[in-house]
Coordinates of all heavy atoms in Angstrom, one line a residue:
M1 N 16.4 11.2 -13.6 CA 16.9 11.7 -12.3 C 16.4 10.9 -11.2 O 15.3 10.6 -11.1 CB 16.4 13.2 -12.3 CG 17.2 14.0 -11.3 SD 16.9 15.8 -11.5 CE 15.2 16.0 -11.3
E2 N 17.3 10.8 -10.3 CA 17.0 10.0 -9.1 C 16.2 10.7 -8.1 O 16.5 11.9 -7.8 CB 18.3 9.5 -8.4 CG 18.1 8.2 -7.5 CD 19.3 7.9 -6.7 OE1 20.4 8.3 -7.1 OE2 19.1 7.4 -5.6
R3 N 15.1 10.2 -7.6 CA 14.3 10.8 -6.5 C 15.1 10.8 -5.2 O 15.6 9.7 -4.9 CB 13.0 10.0 -6.4 CG 11.8 11.0 -6.2 CD 10.6 10.2 -6.3 NE 9.8 10.1 -5.1 CZ 8.6 9.6 -4.9 NH1 8.1 8.9 -6.1 NH2 8.0 9.5 -3.9
Q4 N 15.1 11.9 -4.6 CA 15.8 12.0 -3.4 C 15.1 11.7 -2.1 O 15.6 11.8 -1.0 CB 16.5 13.4 -3.2 CG 17.3 13.8 -4.4 CD 18.6 12.9 -4.4 OE1 19.3 12.6 -3.4 NE2 18.9 12.4 -5.6
Y5 N 13.8 11.3 -2.2 CA 13.0 11.0 -1.1 C 12.1 9.8 -1.5 O 11.7 9.7 -2.6 CB 12.2 12.3 -0.7 CG 11.5 12.8 -1.8 CD1 10.2 12.5 -2.2 CD2 12.1 13.9 -2.5 CE1 9.5 13.0 -3.2 CE2 11.4 14.5 -3.6 CZ 10.1 14.1 -3.9 OH 9.6 14.7 -5.0
T6 N 11.7 9.2 -0.5 CA 10.8 8.0 -0.7 C 9.7 7.9 0.4 O 10.0 8.2 1.6 CB 11.6 6.6 -0.5 OG1 12.7 6.8 -1.4 CG2 10.8 5.4 -0.8
N7 N 8.5 7.6 0.1 CA 7.5 7.3 1.0 C 7.5 5.8 1.3 O 7.1 5.1 0.4 CB 6.1 7.8 0.4 CG 5.0 7.6 1.5 OD1 5.2 7.0 2.6 ND2 3.8 7.9 1.0
V8 N 8.0 5.5 2.5 CA 8.1 4.0 2.8 C 6.6 3.4 2.7 O 6.5 2.2 2.3 CB 8.7 3.8 4.2 CG1 8.9 2.3 4.4 CG2 10.1 4.5 4.3
M9 N 5.6 4.1 3.2 CA 4.3 3.5 3.2 C 3.8 3.2 1.7 O 3.2 2.2 1.4 CB 3.3 4.5 3.8 CG 1.9 3.9 3.9 SD 1.8 2.4 4.9 CE 1.6 3.2 6.6
E10 N 4.2 4.1 0.8 CA 3.9 3.9 -0.6 C 4.5 2.7 -1.1 O 3.9 1.9 -1.9 CB 4.3 5.2 -1.4 CG 4.0 5.0 -2.9 CD 4.5 6.2 -3.7 OE1 4.6 7.3 -3.2 OE2 4.7 6.0 -4.9
E11 N 5.8 2.4 -0.8 CA 6.6 1.2 -1.2 C 5.8 -0.1 -0.8 O 5.6 -1.0 -1.6 CB 7.9 1.2 -0.8 CG 8.8 2.2 -1.3 CD 10.3 2.0 -0.9 OE1 10.6 1.9 0.3 OE2 11.2 2.1 -1.8
I12 N 5.4 0.0 0.5 CA 4.8 -1.2 1.1 C 3.4 -1.4 0.4 O 3.0 -2.5 -0.1 CB 4.5 -1.0 2.6 CG1 5.9 -1.0 3.3 CG2 3.6 -2.0 3.1 CD1 5.9 -0.6 4.8
V13 N 2.7 -0.4 0.3 CA 1.3 -0.5 -0.3 C 1.2 -0.9 -1.7 O 0.5 -1.8 -2.2 CB 0.4 0.9 -0.2 CG1 -0.8 0.8 -1.0 CG2 0.2 1.1 1.3
V14 N 2.2 -0.3 -2.6 CA 2.3 -0.8 -4.0 C 2.6 -2.3 -4.0 O 1.9 -3.0 -4.8 CB 3.3 0.1 -4.7 CG1 3.7 -0.5 -6.0 CG2 2.9 1.5 -4.8
T15 N 3.5 -2.8 -3.2 CA 3.8 -4.2 -3.3 C 2.7 -5.0 -2.8 O 2.4 -6.0 -3.5 CB 5.1 -4.4 -2.3 OG1 6.2 -3.5 -2.7 CG2 5.5 -5.9 -2.5
W16 N 2.1 -4.7 -1.7 CA 1.0 -5.5 -1.2 C -0.3 -5.5 -2.1 O -0.9 -6.5 -2.3 CB 0.6 -5.0 0.2 CG 1.7 -5.4 1.2 CD1 3.0 -5.9 0.9 CD2 1.6 -5.3 2.6 NE1 3.6 -6.1 2.1 CE2 2.9 -5.7 3.2 CE3 0.6 -4.9 3.5 CZ2 3.1 -5.8 4.6 CZ3 0.8 -4.9 4.8 CH2 2.0 -5.3 5.4
V17 N -0.5 -4.3 -2.7 CA -1.7 -4.3 -3.6 C -1.5 -5.3 -4.8 O -2.4 -6.0 -5.1 CB -2.0 -2.9 -4.1 CG1 -3.0 -2.9 -5.3 CG2 -2.5 -2.0 -3.0
K18 N -0.3 -5.3 -5.4 CA 0.1 -6.2 -6.4 C -0.1 -7.7 -5.9 O -0.8 -8.5 -6.7 CB 1.4 -6.0 -6.9 CG 1.7 -4.9 -7.9 CD 3.1 -4.8 -8.5 CE 3.4 -3.5 -9.0 NZ 4.8 -3.2 -9.0
V19 N 0.4 -8.0 -4.8 CA 0.3 -9.3 -4.3 C -1.1 -9.7 -4.0 O -1.6 -10.8 -4.5 CB 1.1 -9.5 -3.0 CG1 0.9 -10.8 -2.3 CG2 2.6 -9.3 -3.3
L20 N -1.9 -8.8 -3.3 CA -3.3 -9.2 -2.9 C -4.2 -9.3 -4.2 O -4.9 -10.3 -4.2 CB -3.8 -8.1 -2.0 CG -3.4 -8.1 -0.5 CD1 -3.9 -6.8 0.2 CD2 -4.1 -9.3 0.1
I21 N -4.1 -8.4 -5.1 CA -5.1 -8.6 -6.2 C -4.7 -9.6 -7.2 O -5.6 -10.1 -8.0 CB -5.4 -7.2 -7.0 CG1 -4.0 -6.6 -7.5 CG2 -6.0 -6.2 -6.0 CD1 -4.4 -5.5 -8.5
S22 N -3.5 -10.2 -7.1 CA -3.2 -11.3 -7.9 C -3.5 -12.7 -7.2 O -3.3 -13.7 -7.8 CB -1.7 -11.3 -8.5 OG -0.8 -11.3 -7.3
G23 N -3.8 -12.6 -5.9 CA -4.2 -13.8 -5.1 C -5.5 -14.4 -5.4 O -6.4 -13.7 -6.0
M24 N -5.7 -15.6 -5.0 CA -7.0 -16.3 -5.2 C -8.2 -15.6 -4.6 O -9.2 -15.5 -5.3 CB -6.9 -17.7 -4.5 CG -6.0 -18.7 -5.1 SD -6.6 -19.3 -6.7 CE -7.9 -20.6 -6.1
E25 N -8.0 -15.0 -3.5 CA -9.1 -14.4 -2.7 C -9.8 -13.2 -3.5 O -11.0 -13.0 -3.4 CB -8.6 -13.8 -1.4 CG -9.5 -14.1 -0.2 CD -8.9 -13.5 1.0 OE1 -7.6 -13.8 1.2 OE2 -9.5 -13.0 1.8
Y26 N -9.0 -12.5 -4.3 CA -9.6 -11.3 -5.0 C -9.6 -11.6 -6.5 O -9.6 -10.6 -7.3 CB -8.7 -10.1 -4.6 CG -8.8 -9.9 -3.1 CD1 -7.8 -10.3 -2.3 CD2 -10.0 -9.3 -2.6 CE1 -8.0 -10.1 -0.9 CE2 -10.1 -9.1 -1.3 CZ -9.0 -9.6 -0.5 OH -9.2 -9.4 0.9
Q27 N -9.7 -12.8 -6.9 CA -9.8 -13.0 -8.4 C -11.1 -12.5 -9.1 O -11.0 -12.2 -10.3 CB -9.9 -14.5 -8.7 CG -8.3 -15.1 -8.8 CD -8.3 -16.5 -9.3 OE1 -9.4 -17.2 -9.2 NE2 -7.1 -17.0 -9.5
T28 N -12.1 -12.2 -8.2 CA -13.4 -11.7 -8.9 C -13.3 -10.1 -9.0 O -14.1 -9.6 -9.7 CB -14.6 -12.0 -8.1 OG1 -14.3 -11.5 -6.8 CG2 -14.9 -13.5 -8.0
F29 N -12.2 -9.5 -8.5 CA -12.0 -8.1 -8.6 C -11.1 -7.8 -9.8 O -10.3 -8.6 -10.2 CB -11.3 -7.6 -7.3 CG -12.3 -7.5 -6.2 CD1 -12.3 -8.7 -5.4 CD2 -13.1 -6.5 -5.8 CE1 -13.2 -8.7 -4.3 CE2 -13.9 -6.5 -4.8 CZ -13.9 -7.6 -4.0
C30 N -11.5 -6.7 -10.5 CA -10.7 -6.2 -11.6 C -9.3 -5.8 -11.2 O -9.1 -5.1 -10.2 CB -11.4 -5.1 -12.2 SG -10.5 -4.5 -13.8
S31 N -8.3 -6.3 -12.0 CA -6.9 -5.9 -11.7 C -6.2 -5.2 -12.8 O -5.0 -5.3 -13.0 CB -6.1 -7.2 -11.3 OG -6.1 -8.1 -12.4
C32 N -7.0 -4.4 -13.6 CA -6.4 -3.6 -14.7 C -5.6 -2.5 -14.0 O -5.7 -2.2 -12.8 CB -7.5 -3.0 -15.6 SG -8.5 -1.7 -14.9
S33 N -4.7 -1.8 -14.8 CA -3.8 -0.8 -14.2 C -4.7 0.4 -13.6 O -4.2 1.0 -12.6 CB -2.8 -0.3 -15.2 OG -3.5 0.2 -16.3
K34 N -5.8 0.7 -14.1 CA -6.6 1.8 -13.6 C -7.2 1.5 -12.2 O -7.0 2.3 -11.3 CB -7.7 2.2 -14.5 CG -8.5 3.4 -14.2 CD -9.8 3.7 -14.8 CE -10.5 4.9 -14.3 NZ -10.9 4.8 -12.9
C35 N -7.8 0.3 -12.1 CA -8.2 -0.2 -10.8 C -7.1 -0.3 -9.8 O -7.2 0.1 -8.6 CB -9.0 -1.5 -11.0 SG -10.6 -1.3 -11.8
K36 N -6.0 -0.9 -10.3 CA -4.8 -1.0 -9.4 C -4.3 0.3 -8.8 O -4.1 0.5 -7.7 CB -3.7 -1.7 -10.2 CG -2.7 -2.5 -9.4 CD -1.5 -3.0 -10.0 CE -1.9 -4.0 -11.2 NZ -0.8 -4.5 -11.8
N37 N -4.2 1.3 -9.8 CA -3.9 2.7 -9.3 C -4.9 3.3 -8.4 O -4.6 4.1 -7.5 CB -3.6 3.6 -10.5 CG -2.4 3.2 -11.2 OD1 -1.4 2.6 -10.6 ND2 -2.3 3.5 -12.5
D38 N -6.2 3.0 -8.6 CA -7.3 3.6 -7.8 C -7.1 2.9 -6.3 O -7.3 3.7 -5.3 CB -8.6 3.3 -8.3 CG -9.0 4.2 -9.6 OD1 -8.3 5.3 -9.6 OD2 -10.0 4.0 -10.3
I39 N -6.9 1.6 -6.3 CA -6.7 1.0 -5.0 C -5.5 1.6 -4.3 O -5.6 1.8 -3.1 CB -6.6 -0.6 -5.3 CG1 -7.9 -1.2 -5.8 CG2 -6.2 -1.3 -4.0 CD1 -7.8 -2.5 -6.4
I40 N -4.5 1.7 -5.0 CA -3.2 2.2 -4.3 C -3.4 3.7 -3.9 O -3.1 3.9 -2.6 CB -2.0 2.2 -5.4 CG1 -1.5 0.7 -5.7 CG2 -0.9 3.0 -4.8 CD1 -0.6 0.6 -6.8
T41 N -3.9 4.5 -4.6 CA -4.2 5.9 -4.2 C -5.2 5.9 -3.0 O -5.0 6.6 -2.0 CB -4.6 6.8 -5.2 OG1 -5.7 6.3 -6.0 CG2 -3.5 7.1 -6.2
L42 N -6.2 5.2 -3.2 CA -7.3 5.2 -2.0 C -6.6 4.7 -0.8 O -6.9 5.2 0.4 CB -8.4 4.3 -2.4 CG -9.7 4.3 -1.5 CD1 -10.3 5.7 -1.3 CD2 -10.8 3.4 -2.0
S43 N -5.9 3.6 -0.8 CA -5.2 3.1 0.4 C -4.2 4.1 0.9 O -4.3 4.4 2.2 CB -4.4 1.8 0.1 OG -5.2 0.8 -0.4
L44 N -3.5 4.8 0.2 CA -2.5 5.7 0.6 C -3.1 6.9 1.3 O -2.6 7.5 2.2 CB -1.5 6.1 -0.6 CG -0.4 5.1 -0.9 CD1 0.3 5.5 -2.1 CD2 0.4 4.8 0.3
N45 N -4.3 7.3 0.7 CA -5.0 8.5 1.3 C -5.6 8.2 2.6 O -6.0 9.1 3.4 CB -6.2 8.9 0.3 CG -5.7 9.7 -0.8 OD1 -4.6 10.2 -0.8 ND2 -6.4 9.7 -1.9
N46 N -5.6 6.9 3.0 CA -6.2 6.5 4.3 C -5.1 6.0 5.2 O -5.4 5.4 6.3 CB -7.2 5.4 4.2 CG -8.5 5.9 3.5 OD1 -9.0 7.0 4.0 ND2 -9.0 5.4 2.5
L47 N -3.9 6.2 4.8 CA -2.7 5.8 5.7 C -1.8 6.9 5.8 O -1.7 7.8 4.9 CB -2.0 4.6 5.0 CG -2.8 3.3 5.0 CD1 -2.2 2.3 4.0 CD2 -2.7 2.6 6.4
P48 N -1.0 7.0 6.9 CA 0.0 8.1 7.0 C 1.2 7.9 6.1 O 1.5 6.8 5.8 CB 0.4 8.0 8.5 CG 0.2 6.5 8.9 CD -1.0 6.1 8.1
N49 N 1.8 9.1 5.7 CA 2.9 9.0 4.9 C 4.2 8.8 5.8 O 4.2 9.3 7.0 CB 3.2 10.4 4.1 CG 2.1 10.6 3.1 OD1 1.7 9.7 2.5 ND2 1.6 11.9 3.1
Y50 N 5.2 8.1 5.2 CA 6.5 8.1 6.0 C 7.6 8.3 5.0 O 8.2 7.4 4.6 CB 6.6 6.6 6.5 CG 5.8 6.3 7.7 CD1 4.5 5.8 7.7 CD2 6.2 6.7 9.1 CE1 3.7 5.6 8.8 CE2 5.4 6.5 10.2 CZ 4.2 5.9 10.0 OH 3.4 5.6 11.1
Y51 N 7.8 9.7 4.8 CA 8.8 10.0 3.9 C 10.1 10.0 4.6 O 10.4 10.3 5.7 CB 8.6 11.5 3.3 CG 7.6 11.5 2.2 CD1 6.2 11.8 2.5 CD2 8.0 11.1 0.9 CE1 5.3 11.8 1.4 CE2 7.1 11.1 -0.1 CZ 5.7 11.4 0.1 OH 4.8 11.5 -0.9
V52 N 11.1 9.5 3.8 CA 12.6 9.4 4.2 C 13.5 9.9 3.2 O 13.2 9.8 2.0 CB 12.9 7.9 4.7 CG1 12.1 7.5 5.9 CG2 12.8 6.9 3.5
T53 N 14.7 10.3 3.6 CA 15.7 10.6 2.6 C 17.0 9.8 2.6 O 17.8 9.9 1.7 CB 16.2 12.1 2.9 OG1 16.6 12.2 4.3 CG2 15.0 13.1 2.7
T54 N 17.0 9.0 3.6 CA 18.3 8.0 3.6 C 17.8 6.6 3.7 O 16.7 6.2 4.2 CB 19.1 8.3 4.8 OG1 18.4 8.0 6.1 CG2 19.5 9.8 4.9
E55 N 18.7 5.7 3.3 CA 18.4 4.3 3.2 C 18.3 3.7 4.7 O 17.6 2.9 5.0 CB 19.5 3.6 2.4 CG 19.4 2.1 2.3 CD 18.2 1.7 1.5 OE1 17.6 2.6 0.7 OE2 17.6 0.6 1.7
E56 N 19.1 4.3 5.6 CA 19.1 3.9 7.0 C 17.7 4.2 7.6 O 17.2 3.3 8.3 CB 20.2 4.8 7.7 CG 20.6 4.2 9.0 CD 21.4 5.2 9.9 OE1 22.2 5.9 9.3 OE2 21.3 5.2 11.0
R57 N 17.2 5.4 7.4 CA 15.9 5.7 7.9 C 14.8 4.8 7.2 O 13.9 4.4 7.9 CB 15.5 7.2 7.6 CG 16.1 8.1 8.5 CD 15.5 8.2 9.9 NE 14.2 8.8 10.0 CZ 13.3 8.5 11.0 NH1 13.7 7.7 12.0 NH2 12.1 9.0 10.9
R58 N 15.0 4.5 5.9 CA 14.1 3.7 5.2 C 14.0 2.3 5.8 O 12.9 1.9 6.1 CB 14.5 3.6 3.8 CG 13.6 2.8 2.9 CD 14.1 2.8 1.4 NE 13.4 1.9 0.6 CZ 13.8 0.6 0.5 NH1 15.0 0.2 1.0 NH2 13.2 -0.2 -0.3
K59 N 15.1 1.8 6.2 CA 15.2 0.5 6.8 C 14.4 0.5 8.1 O 13.8 -0.4 8.5 CB 16.6 0.0 6.9 CG 17.1 -0.7 5.6 CD 18.5 -1.3 5.8 CE 19.0 -1.7 4.4 NZ 20.5 -1.6 4.4
R60 N 14.8 1.5 8.9 CA 14.2 1.6 10.3 C 12.7 1.8 10.2 O 12.0 1.1 11.0 CB 14.8 2.8 11.0 CG 14.6 2.6 12.5 CD 15.5 3.4 13.5 NE 16.7 3.9 12.9 CZ 17.0 5.2 13.1 NH1 16.2 6.1 13.8 NH2 18.1 5.7 12.6
I61 N 12.2 2.6 9.4 CA 10.8 2.7 9.3 C 10.1 1.5 8.8 O 9.1 1.0 9.4 CB 10.4 3.9 8.3 CG1 11.0 5.3 8.7 CG2 8.9 4.0 8.0 CD1 10.2 6.1 9.8
F62 N 10.8 0.8 7.8 CA 10.2 -0.3 7.3 C 10.1 -1.4 8.4 O 9.0 -2.1 8.6 CB 11.1 -0.9 6.1 CG 10.4 -2.1 5.5 CD1 9.5 -1.9 4.5 CD2 10.7 -3.4 5.9 CE1 8.9 -3.1 3.9 CE2 10.2 -4.5 5.2 CZ 9.2 -4.3 4.3
E63 N 11.0 -1.6 9.2 CA 11.0 -2.5 10.4 C 10.0 -2.2 11.4 O 9.3 -3.0 11.8 CB 12.5 -2.5 11.1 CG 13.5 -3.4 10.4 CD 14.9 -3.1 10.8 OE1 15.1 -2.6 11.9 OE2 15.8 -3.5 10.0
N64 N 9.8 -0.8 11.7 CA 8.8 -0.4 12.5 C 7.4 -0.7 12.0 O 6.4 -1.0 12.8 CB 8.9 1.1 12.8 CG 10.1 1.5 13.7 OD1 10.7 0.6 14.3 ND2 10.4 2.7 13.6
L65 N 7.2 -0.6 10.7 CA 6.0 -0.9 10.1 C 5.7 -2.4 9.9 O 4.5 -2.8 9.8 CB 5.8 -0.2 8.7 CG 5.7 1.3 8.8 CD1 5.8 1.9 7.4 CD2 4.4 1.8 9.4
N66 N 6.7 -3.1 9.9 CA 6.6 -4.6 9.6 C 6.4 -5.4 10.9 O 6.9 -6.5 11.0 CB 7.9 -5.1 8.9 CG 7.6 -6.3 8.1 OD1 6.4 -6.7 7.8 ND2 8.7 -7.1 7.9
T67 N 5.4 -5.0 11.7 CA 5.1 -5.8 12.9 C 3.7 -6.4 12.6 O 3.0 -5.9 11.6 CB 4.9 -4.9 14.1 OG1 3.8 -4.0 13.9 CG2 6.2 -4.2 14.5
E68 N 3.4 -7.4 13.4 CA 2.1 -8.1 13.0 C 0.9 -7.1 13.1 O 0.0 -7.1 12.2 CB 1.9 -9.3 14.0 CG 0.8 -10.3 13.4 CD 0.5 -11.4 14.5 OE1 1.4 -11.6 15.3 OE2 -0.6 -11.9 14.3
E69 N 0.9 -6.3 14.1 CA -0.2 -5.4 14.3 C -0.3 -4.3 13.1 O -1.3 -4.1 12.6 CB 0.1 -4.6 15.6 CG -1.2 -3.9 16.2 CD -0.9 -3.2 17.5 OE1 0.0 -3.7 18.1 OE2 -1.4 -2.1 17.7
N70 N 0.8 -3.8 12.8 CA 0.9 -2.8 11.7 C 0.6 -3.5 10.4 O -0.1 -2.9 9.5 CB 2.2 -2.2 11.6 CG 2.4 -1.1 12.7 OD1 1.4 -0.5 13.1 ND2 3.6 -0.8 13.1
R71 N 1.0 -4.7 10.1 CA 0.7 -5.4 8.9 C -0.8 -5.6 8.7 O -1.4 -5.4 7.7 CB 1.4 -6.8 8.8 CG 2.9 -6.6 8.4 CD 3.5 -8.0 7.9 NE 3.3 -9.1 8.8 CZ 4.2 -9.5 9.7 NH1 5.3 -8.9 9.8 NH2 3.9 -10.4 10.5
K72 N -1.5 -5.9 9.9 CA -2.9 -6.1 9.8 C -3.6 -4.9 9.6 O -4.5 -4.8 8.7 CB -3.2 -6.7 11.3 CG -4.5 -7.4 11.2 CD -4.9 -8.0 12.7 CE -4.0 -9.2 13.0 NZ -4.3 -9.7 14.4
W73 N -3.1 -3.8 10.2 CA -3.8 -2.4 9.9 C -3.6 -2.0 8.5 O -4.6 -1.6 7.9 CB -3.0 -1.5 10.9 CG -3.3 -0.1 10.6 CD1 -4.4 0.7 10.6 CD2 -2.1 0.9 10.4 NE1 -4.1 2.0 10.4 CE2 -2.7 2.2 10.3 CE3 -0.7 0.9 10.4 CZ2 -2.0 3.3 10.1 CZ3 0.0 1.9 10.1 CH2 -0.6 3.2 10.0
I74 N -2.5 -2.1 7.9 CA -2.2 -1.7 6.6 C -3.0 -2.6 5.6 O -3.7 -2.1 4.6 CB -0.8 -1.8 6.2 CG1 0.0 -0.7 7.1 CG2 -0.5 -1.5 4.7 CD1 1.5 -0.9 7.1
N75 N -3.0 -3.9 5.8 CA -3.7 -4.9 5.1 C -5.2 -4.6 5.0 O -5.9 -4.6 4.0 CB -3.6 -6.3 5.7 CG -3.4 -7.3 4.7 OD1 -2.8 -7.1 3.6 ND2 -4.0 -8.5 4.9
N76 N -5.8 -4.2 6.2 CA -7.2 -3.9 6.3 C -7.5 -2.6 5.4 O -8.6 -2.7 4.8 CB -7.6 -3.6 7.8 CG -7.9 -5.0 8.5 OD1 -8.1 -6.0 7.9 ND2 -7.7 -4.8 9.8
R77 N -6.6 -1.7 5.4 CA -7.0 -0.5 4.6 C -6.9 -0.9 3.1 O -7.8 -0.3 2.3 CB -5.9 0.6 4.9 CG -5.9 1.1 6.3 CD -7.2 2.0 6.6 NE -7.4 2.2 8.0 CZ -7.0 3.3 8.6 NH1 -6.5 4.3 7.9 NH2 -7.2 3.4 9.9
I78 N -6.0 -1.7 2.7 CA -5.9 -2.1 1.3 C -7.1 -3.0 0.9 O -7.7 -2.7 -0.1 CB -4.6 -2.9 1.1 CG1 -3.4 -2.0 1.3 CG2 -4.6 -3.5 -0.4 CD1 -2.0 -2.7 1.2
I79 N -7.5 -3.9 1.7 CA -8.7 -4.7 1.4 C -9.9 -3.8 1.4 O -10.8 -4.0 0.4 CB -8.9 -5.9 2.5 CG1 -7.7 -6.8 2.3 CG2 -10.2 -6.6 2.4 CD1 -7.5 -7.8 3.4
N80 N -10.0 -2.9 2.3 CA -11.2 -2.0 2.2 C -11.1 -1.2 0.7 O -12.2 -1.1 0.2 CB -11.1 -1.0 3.3 CG -12.3 -0.1 3.4 OD1 -13.4 -0.7 3.6 ND2 -12.1 1.2 3.3
A81 N -10.0 -0.8 0.4 CA -9.9 -0.1 -0.9 C -10.2 -1.0 -2.1 O -10.8 -0.5 -3.1 CB -8.4 0.5 -1.1
I82 N -9.8 -2.2 -2.0 CA -10.1 -3.1 -3.1 C -11.7 -3.3 -3.2 O -12.2 -3.3 -4.4 CB -9.5 -4.6 -2.8 CG1 -8.0 -4.5 -2.9 CG2 -10.0 -5.6 -3.8 CD1 -7.2 -5.7 -2.6
H83 N -12.3 -3.4 -2.1 CA -13.8 -3.5 -2.2 C -14.5 -2.2 -2.7 O -15.4 -2.3 -3.4 CB -14.3 -3.9 -0.8 CG -14.1 -5.4 -0.4 ND1 -15.0 -6.3 -0.9 CD2 -13.1 -6.0 0.2 CE1 -14.5 -7.5 -0.4 NE2 -13.3 -7.2 0.2
V84 N -14.0 -1.1 -2.2 CA -14.6 0.2 -2.6 C -14.4 0.4 -4.2 O -15.3 0.6 -4.9 CB -13.9 1.4 -1.8 CG1 -14.4 2.7 -2.5 CG2 -14.3 1.3 -0.4
V85 N -13.1 0.2 -4.6 CA -12.9 0.3 -6.1 C -13.7 -0.8 -6.9 O -14.2 -0.4 -7.9 CB -11.3 0.2 -6.3 CG1 -11.1 0.2 -7.8 CG2 -10.6 1.4 -5.8
G86 N -13.7 -2.0 -6.4 CA -14.5 -3.1 -7.0 C -16.0 -2.7 -7.2 O -16.6 -3.0 -8.1
Q87 N -16.5 -2.0 -6.2 CA -17.9 -1.6 -6.2 C -18.2 -0.5 -7.1 O -19.3 -0.5 -7.7 CB -18.3 -1.1 -4.7 CG -19.7 -1.2 -4.4 CD -20.0 -0.9 -2.9 OE1 -19.0 -1.1 -2.1 NE2 -21.2 -0.6 -2.6
Y88 N -17.3 0.4 -7.4 CA -17.5 1.6 -8.2 C -16.9 1.5 -9.7 O -17.2 2.4 -10.4 CB -17.2 2.8 -7.5 CG -18.0 3.1 -6.2 CD1 -17.5 2.8 -5.0 CD2 -19.4 3.5 -6.4 CE1 -18.3 3.1 -3.8 CE2 -20.1 3.7 -5.3 CZ -19.6 3.4 -4.0 OH -20.4 3.6 -2.9
S89 N -16.1 0.5 -9.8 CA -15.5 0.5 -11.2 C -16.5 0.2 -12.2 O -17.4 -0.6 -12.0 CB -14.3 -0.6 -11.3 OG -14.9 -1.8 -11.3
K90 N -16.5 1.0 -13.4 CA -17.6 0.8 -14.4 C -17.3 -0.1 -15.4 O -17.8 0.0 -16.6 CB -17.8 2.2 -14.9 CG -18.2 3.3 -13.9 CD -19.7 3.3 -13.7 CE -20.1 4.4 -12.7 NZ -20.3 3.9 -11.3
H91 N -16.4 -1.1 -15.2 CA -16.1 -2.1 -16.2 C -15.9 -3.5 -15.7 O -16.0 -3.6 -14.5 CB -14.9 -1.6 -17.0 CG -13.6 -1.4 -16.1 ND1 -13.5 -0.2 -15.5 CD2 -12.5 -2.1 -15.8 CE1 -12.4 -0.3 -14.8 NE2 -11.9 -1.4 -14.9
Ligands
ZN1 ZN1 -10.3 -2.2 -13.8

């Protein structure tokens, strides 16, 4: 069944977490699916939701979030989550 609503922030965070933890900078951090999900949920809990129901709104919100300032802000929350999860993961 097709979901009728989307959290634009979730889409962005899920994509960026995948990119960041597969990058050189975070090779020492665990990238198993449990840690990845922990990083995603921790990041999302520290960022506002942007739920939309239409593709048009989705595009507009995405454009609004895709500024240098906003990218830096979202990136910082994700990096913080990577460090927190890395510190507390038991494996
Ligand atoms: Zn792990």
